[in-house]
Amino acid sequence: MSSTAKKKGFGATIWDYLTTVDHKKIAILYLIAGTLFFVIGGIEAMLIRIQLAKPNNDFVSAGLFNEIITMHGTTMIFLAAMPLLFAFMNAVVPLQIGARDVAFPFLNSLGFWLFFWGGIFLNLSWLLGGAPDAGWTSYASLSLASPGHGIDFYAIGLQISGAGTLISGINFIVTIINMRAPGMTFMRMPLFTWTTFVSSSLILFAFPPLTVGLFFMIFDRMFGSNFFDHTMGGNTIIWEHLFWIFGHPEVYILVLPAFGLYSEIIPTFARKRLFGYSSMVFATILIGFLGFMVWAHHMFTVGLGATANAIFAVATMAIAVPTGMKVFNWLCTMWGGSIKVTTPMLYALGFIPSFVAGGVTGVMQASAPLDYQLHDSYFIVAHFHYVIVGGIVLALFAGAHFYWPIMFNRMLNETLGKITFVVFFIGFHMTFFVQHFLGLMGMPRRVFTYLPNQGLDTYNLISTIGAFLMAIGVVLLVVNVIITTIQNKPCGRDPWGDGRTLEWAIPQPVPYYNFKQTPLVRGLDTYWIEKMEGNKEGMSYAEPISDIHMPNNSIIPFVMVFGLFVAGFGALYNPDADKPWALAVLIIGLAITFGSMIVRSLKDDLGYHISKEELMNEKGGNE
Amino acid sequence: MSHDVHVEARNEAEYQHSRRKAGQAMRNQVTVFAVMIFLTFIAFAAVQAGFSAYLVVPLVLLFAGVQVGLQLYYFMHLSEKGTGIMQFFIYSGALVAFTMVLGFVTIVWI
């Protein structure tokens, strides 16, 4: 089907993206959708900081403020950070391991659309009678009492997008286990692939508890059950446990791929192989395991008792050990390297001290007695923003600059990139560093305003100014993307000049079948080895050119998820007496979903083959 | 990764070897199946006989555990080569689930 190689009209391009099962195009979809939600979450953050800029502010009301903070947290974690990381995983991992696509291309598309429609569902709450307002943790004692449909939007929206994440996670596990090129043993896998693998495994184990918790919540709120209602024999604490059994691994799900990105960027620009590769792998796996043993450190003040608190405190502190190993490995990778300070490297350099600061405050909170002081104060807000912005968002920006050539065959502007970094980095520290002190001075988290002359005024103003700097940084990045798109200058293969892993060895633009011949992997940093041996082609091959089997595009994932989206509204309005049509909507939605599942099951879709002759005639990729 | 269909020719000795292997596997399966039915029978009998719940419940749980193991290793072929990753994931999942259950039992319900 070489028709994919021809120029297409706008409508055909849209249709192509709606039906695509190609991991590179799904990566672009994730990038666009993730950026959209990142901007929405960012605007919410700006509203929060404007409200808190001065004491006794009435920019937004208390109720609206609750909705904004809830949506800011939920959007940023589930709909911005995760999809943006999935964008890089999709774009890079199959190329890094020498695969033609992920193991289940259809499921890849299904996972994206589930995430997307779940996110749209959640955000439609703004237009349909109010957003969720019980915090991103949505503790049951609070959320069950919340009037309106906000929490219902939260529970159903996250249920839909969570299913998508679970599907994508399983897809990556299978891909990484089964689709590696010949010679790519586990201990030759690039670190980004390793971290994707471990974080996908965490998704596999962490999302089911969230699914269970959300189902309980949906049934409690919409179908009259009493899992969390203590007056009816339920237990409100169970939600907290289920949420944090998911929620704590979730932060590792986010930060591990970010670590992976840094572990690619730092050796590339230090022009040295990664220091302590095997200890890096070991630390990643260990963090993954320990991540499941520590959830109750979010609940020290619930009253679990001294013994439970002590156990979870010690387990939590233990995580600092593998994380510290990683930090020292990055430092030792740079040690003695011939460092080239490009934009991605600049982000990586900024990341190390920022993330260590976030980690140190984390160990402080792991100490249960101190946590009684810090709990629900701005100190916590400062801590997790240091970890998430200083760790993950910096990684996303670094990854965007680093992998833009792979995804789009274009280089982002380096000078503008460095300016972006400086503005964003200063803004980030200005915003969150002072929040440590606000917390220690007693400013509670999630508070919508405060009184003047309590020592909180100046720091809050500084924090708001910093937030504006961060916003300017994001705008600069968007400007950079626009400039690059307009300039439209192809950058070719390995534009950084120091690529080490297989993804840089592929001719640009990446052909839709990725590898004409499956590569042979002869060690860690495959492309580096080939380059050092003077191989102009960049890879050795494991097979002769032969026909390539490709999957067909399909609109079914889109339709399947659209059915769930419709059914979500049915479930949401089910308890309302004045909406008798709700049940019908629920049934119609589920009928669409199951109908498309039946079509998928009964219709044979065997894909197509690219013939050997066609491959021989093609020079590079398609555009 | 499409290649021409790979045809594997086997000689007489190989054929006999695989036949013997298959025969052994079949015998194992039948034996284990019998053991499992026997264990199920004991569990039912223990309940029927009206022993104390403190004996019956641990006994049934123990037999259930044994049966899961037999199921995994004899019917789902976990004892064969190339199942390392599956075992790793199964045991990791079991460990995580165990931690959660332990947590709930010790700090929520009791």
Side-chain angles (χ1 to χ4, degrees), chain A residues 177 186 241 245 543 546-547, chain B residues 1-3 85 89 93 100 108:
Chain A
I177 292 178
F186 271 107
H241 279 286
I245 287 173
E543 58 167 18
S546 55
D547 293 4
Chain B
M1 281 162 223
S2 73
H3 300 287
I85 296 215
F89 270 82
M100 287 178 208
V108 186

Side-chain angles (χ1 to χ4, degrees), chain A residues 100 177 186 201 205 235 241 245 289 292-293 295 308 543 546-547, chain B residues 1-3 85 88-89 92-93 95-96 99-100 104 107-109:
Chain A
R100 295 226 163 87
I177 292 178
F186 271 107
S201 314
F205 292 135
N235 187 344
H241 279 286
I245 287 173
F289 265 103
F292 281 98
M293 314 291 162
W295 78 87
E543 58 167 18
S546 55
D547 293 4
Chain B
M1 281 162 223
S2 73
H3 300 287
I85 296 215
F88 179 73
F89 270 82
S92 311
L95 180 69
V96 169
T99 320
M100 287 178 208
F104 271 69
I107 60 185
V108 186
W109 289 320

